[in-house]
Amino acid sequence: MNLLESIRVALEGIMVSKLRSFLTTLGIVIGIAAVIAVVAIGQGGRAVLMSELEKIGTNIFAIYINWRSDKPVTGREFNLNDVAVIKDSIPDITHLSPSSQTMGDVRGTKDKKYSQITGVSSDYSYIRKINMKEGRFFTDEDDAGKRRVAVLDEDLAVQMFGRSQALGNKITLENTPFLVVGIIAKGDSALGFSENPSVYIPIQAWQVMFGEHIGMIEGSASAREKVDEAMGQAVKLLERRHHDPGKYAGQSMEQEMQTANRITGVMTIVIGTIAGISLFVGGIGVMNIMLVSVTERTREIGIRMALGARRRDILVQFLIEAVVLCLLGGLIGTALGIGGAYLIARIAKWPPLVSWWTALLAFVFSAAIGVVFGILPANKAARLNPIEALRRE
Amino acid sequence: MIRVTNLCKVYRTGAHQVTALADVNINVGPGEFVAIMGPSGSGKSTLLNLLGCLDIPTAGSYHLDGMEISGAGNAALAKIRNQKIGFVFQTFNLLPRISAVRNVELPMIYAGVAPRERARRAEEALARVGLAERMHHKPSELSGGQVQRVAIARALVNNPAIILADEPTGNLDTRSGEEIMAIFQELNRSGATIVIVTHERDIALHTSRILQFRDGRLLDDEPVADPLRALVNEAPGLAEQAGPASNSAAEAGPAGSSVEQSRLAGSITAEAGPAGSRAEQAGSSGNSAAEAEPAGDNAAGRGVAR
Ligand SMILES: Nc1ncnc2c1ncn2[C@@H]1O[C@H](COP(=O)(O)OP(=O)(O)OP(=O)(O)O)[C@@H](O)[C@H]1O
Ligand SMILES: [Mg+2]
């Protein structure tokens, strides 16, 4: 009996009890569907996270006070000279801005709010790739002249001024009026990455109002590959200038991305493993039913042997039956898994990344499950003696 | 065709030993139609299972169609069961969930016959037992007699050297039993060697030789002087062709018969009338047909397919 014939006989066996065959393979269906969906969702999620991080910028970094060191914070860790020197002496750093934040009363024509006020330099708009909706970001001249100009996040502008024109209007920060010169367009982050809406003012104007201290330094490097090195040099330089090793710490987007990558990778593996275990349990389910099926079909085996089936034919028949069952389950599971991945991706608004190799792997894996868990029942069937098998009811 | 010498079968169940067959010696020639009789438990089924290579003897030797069977391995036995033996069971043993024609195809699947050829031969075999119109029915949709006819079609579809039947009429009423015997007689007339087990003397009298068993031993070996003809006066199914044929049996010559026989072997019912009569003549007049063939034993039965 050739393979094609064996497959036909096995299919006949499967079709004879469709419901039972379906239930047998349900474990495989669910297992494969789970594996494919989990991997696809994990990959999709990771891709979204990465593209979000890339949107923010892959070459940016921040240097702040190392809160792991137990040295007291003096408020003089950063000064404007540091920023200028670092930018001058490290060529791979293209933009660098001090950044200080505080909360304060902000009042527009319509409303007032206790809100975030951030002092930065003009470089900040390049580092954060700020997109202006209206007007402009403030310039080095604004900064040097300590001009009272402000740039608002779009949300905040709407809140403070309503429908009336924010641009060109005065906004009052802690009772000091500032001229609104620009409005920052809202980002289109799929993950809803957005910081608190803030008012941005030139750092030197900020220092006049809130004090000399600078919270941290943000910057960007000429390329993604350069960022970690440039940041390291900047930290060293700061330590030297302030004679304070261990005081500063840097964090680059590159590191963030690697961390995010690792976390999503680990999560995919963990959930994937759980899904894999369900697949394994599904395989045991197939074996279980196949064993019952062999017992139930002892007479059939006897008849086939009496008609000239060799043990090999019986072995192959049951093995192929198990493999075909698992493959059918794998096929349905793949379809369900891909469907599930698309559905969830649609709800979560991220790309469904069903990689063809996951589907292929699932397919090969289900066939392997068929072989592994089919061999025991098939062997049991093949070992029967024809007359014994015929005698059994 | 069959040569059994000193055949023994002992069943061991725990501490008990049952000698089901003790020192049995039998010769069955080609083209013979033999009935095995005996009380319940006398070892009839045991013998038939051994002849059918479904079981292995404890001692003794068994030659079938010129081959030594005892000592053959599993795969060899499977092949012998497939090619040389057509077995008909009392309980039919059809696969319940597939159609009659698929059931008949089974032995050919294991013989490696191509699907189209297989279907053709299965249909032919079913036509031969008068079930042409019912071949796509499942066993559960057929009467007992019809199911047994499917089983017979399955037994003869690989053109075996010998057909073995264990109480083929045991589960049937008298009338269906007669129909089955008519088929066997027809097959025998066309050259098939047949051994059946039966309880009923009426059935046994349709054969040409009766072997009596008791307690696992062969007691008596009597020829049947004038075998009964099944369904002589009636003509349902296959008997339609068998009936008229028997009247003109004497007319055909041995030479013509052997030619006709080989040609006909595949489809008795398909070619009725004078052709059938000559085939029948060859079967009943000893082995004139077989002798004409160089191969000797019932070449006619297998002549077409091989
Ligand atoms: N598998 C077995 N294990 C043990 N003993 C067995 C087995 N099969 C048959 N026997 C014994 O062998 C003897 C012959 O049995 P067998 O079936 O050949 O009888 P039989 O002539 O066919 O009877 P019946 O007419 O009732 O079918 C009986 O005594 C029976 O009990
Ligand atoms: Mg019996």
Side-chain angles (χ1 to χ4, degrees), chain B residues 40-41 43-46 90 166-167 197 199:
Chain B
S40 191
K44 307 182 296 291
S45 295
T46 303
Q90 176 175 0
D166 193 355
E167 307 206 30
V197 166
H199 269 117

Side-chain angles (χ1 to χ4, degrees), chain A residues 152-293:
Chain A
L152 305 187
D153 274 323
E154 190 178 344
D155 283 345
L156 201 61
V158 171
Q159 244 178 342
M160 293 295 123
F161 296 93
R163 297 190 168 276
S164 70
Q165 187 64 260
L167 193 68
N169 233 319
K170 291 268 191 233
I171 189 162
T172 314
L173 310 177
E174 294 283 308
N175 299 321
T176 310
F178 276 70
L179 180 68
V180 177
V181 295
I183 305 212
I184 298 173
K186 211 153 66 174
D188 53 344
S189 165
L191 287 181
F193 271 174
S194 65
E195 290 164 89
N196 290 335
S198 178
V199 181
Y200 298 90
I201 56 175
I203 181 69
Q204 296 190 41
W206 191 91
Q207 284 176 320
V208 170
M209 287 188 62
F210 303 105
E212 286 291 307
H213 74 273
I214 293 172
M216 60 177 179
I217 299 177
E218 290 188 43
S220 62
S222 55
R224 182 177 177 174
E225 302 76 46
K226 301 260 172 69
V227 64
D228 277 343
E229 199 196 328
M231 183 179 72
Q233 289 172 353
V235 169
K236 286 246 167 57
L237 193 54
L238 278 169
E239 285 174 351
R240 240 182 300 125
R241 282 171 60 80
H242 293 265
H243 313 286
D244 206 349
K247 181 93 192 193
Y248 303 94
Q251 175 75 42
S252 71
M253 187 55 90
E254 185 63 22
Q255 291 167 339
E256 304 263 15
M257 288 180 86
Q258 279 166 8
T259 309
N261 228 331
R262 217 168 30 243
I263 291 172
T264 53
V266 166
M267 281 194 15
T268 305
I269 288 171
V270 167
I271 305 176
T273 306
I274 294 170
I277 290 171
S278 83
L279 195 55
F280 183 78
V281 173
I284 292 178
V286 170
M287 176 164 74
N288 207 353
I289 303 287
M290 289 300 292
L291 279 171
V292 173
S293 168

Side-chain angles (χ1 to χ4, degrees), chain B residues 37-114:
Chain B
M37 293 197 69
S40 191
S42 55
K44 307 182 296 291
S45 295
T46 303
L47 176 63
L48 211 69
N49 291 339
L50 290 177
L51 294 182
C53 296
L54 295 172
D55 212 350
I56 295 159
T58 313
S61 80
Y62 170 26
H63 274 265
L64 171 66
D65 203 21
M67 278 177 71
E68 176 59 50
I69 304 297
S70 21
N74 274 320
L77 284 178
K79 189 164 181 197
I80 291 164
R81 285 195 292 267
N82 186 240
Q83 311 273 308
K84 303 253 178 199
I85 295 164
F87 209 104
V88 179
F89 299 89
Q90 176 175 0
T91 50
F92 320 127
N93 277 339
L94 296 186
L95 296 188
R97 289 182 174 126
I98 56 177
S99 67
V101 68
R102 287 290 291 161
N103 262 293
V104 177
E105 280 185 37
L106 280 176
M108 291 185 286
I109 289 179
Y110 296 111
V113 179

Side-chain angles (χ1 to χ4, degrees), chain A residues 44-334:
Chain A
R46 178 197 297 213
V48 168
L49 192 58
M50 288 303 135
S51 86
E52 282 303 312
L53 294 179
E54 261 161 45
K55 238 187 256 165
I56 295 170
T58 52
N59 59 338
I60 63 172
F61 63 90
I63 298 171
Y64 45 86
I65 298 161
N66 188 0
W67 25 264
R68 272 188 217 128
S69 85
D70 16 289
K71 293 172 180 161
V73 176
T74 60
R76 291 189 299 275
E77 281 81 7
F78 303 102
N79 56 50
L80 293 179
N81 276 342
D82 290 337
V83 176
V85 170
I86 291 170
K87 198 176 167 185
D88 276 350
S89 54
I90 303 172
D92 278 332
I93 292 178
T94 49
H95 297 284
L96 200 63
S97 164
S99 172
S100 289
Q101 288 188 338
T102 189
M103 296 297 286
D105 279 325
V106 176
R107 197 180 313 144
T109 53
K110 183 179 173 226
D111 204 356
K112 68 169 203 178
K113 202 185 165 207
Y114 191 65
S115 176
Q116 189 167 290
I117 303 167
T118 310
V120 292
S121 75
S122 65
D123 271 17
Y124 188 81
S125 72
Y126 300 102
I127 297 164
R128 291 296 185 104
K129 295 182 187 157
I130 279 172
N131 204 359
M132 299 306 295
K133 183 168 181 260
E134 289 171 74
R136 60 176 179 85
F137 205 78
F138 44 79
T139 60
D140 284 341
E141 291 72 45
D142 290 330
D143 196 10
K146 301 178 186 170
R147 289 185 195 140
R148 277 181 273 203
V149 290
V151 171
L152 305 187
D153 274 323
E154 190 178 344
D155 283 345
L156 201 61
V158 171
Q159 244 178 342
M160 293 295 123
F161 296 93
R163 297 190 168 276
S164 70
Q165 187 64 260
L167 193 68
N169 233 319
K170 291 268 191 233
I171 189 162
T172 314
L173 310 177
E174 294 283 308
N175 299 321
T176 310
F178 276 70
L179 180 68
V180 177
V181 295
I183 305 212
I184 298 173
K186 211 153 66 174
D188 53 344
S189 165
L191 287 181
F193 271 174
S194 65
E195 290 164 89
N196 290 335
S198 178
V199 181
Y200 298 90
I201 56 175
I203 181 69
Q204 296 190 41
W206 191 91
Q207 284 176 320
V208 170
M209 287 188 62
F210 303 105
E212 286 291 307
H213 74 273
I214 293 172
M216 60 177 179
I217 299 177
E218 290 188 43
S220 62
S222 55
R224 182 177 177 174
E225 302 76 46
K226 301 260 172 69
V227 64
D228 277 343
E229 199 196 328
M231 183 179 72
Q233 289 172 353
V235 169
K236 286 246 167 57
L237 193 54
L238 278 169
E239 285 174 351
R240 240 182 300 125
R241 282 171 60 80
H242 293 265
H243 313 286
D244 206 349
K247 181 93 192 193
Y248 303 94
Q251 175 75 42
S252 71
M253 187 55 90
E254 185 63 22
Q255 291 167 339
E256 304 263 15
M257 288 180 86
Q258 279 166 8
T259 309
N261 228 331
R262 217 168 30 243
I263 291 172
T264 53
V266 166
M267 281 194 15
T268 305
I269 288 171
V270 167
I271 305 176
T273 306
I274 294 170
I277 290 171
S278 83
L279 195 55
F280 183 78
V281 173
I284 292 178
V286 170
M287 176 164 74
N288 207 353
I289 303 287
M290 289 300 292
L291 279 171
V292 173
S293 168
V294 165
T295 316
E296 233 175 44
R297 287 156 70 188
T298 304
R299 202 178 181 82
E300 174 189 333
I301 294 165
I303 292 170
R304 287 182 183 278
M305 285 182 152
L307 298 180
R310 289 165 301 167
R311 298 192 158 177
R312 220 192 70 187
D313 295 325
I314 300 293
L315 184 91
V316 167
Q317 179 190 335
F318 278 86
L319 202 54
I320 287 185
E321 214 172 295
V323 170
V324 168
L325 264 184
C326 289
L327 277 183
L328 285 179
L331 221 59
I332 299 173
T334 306

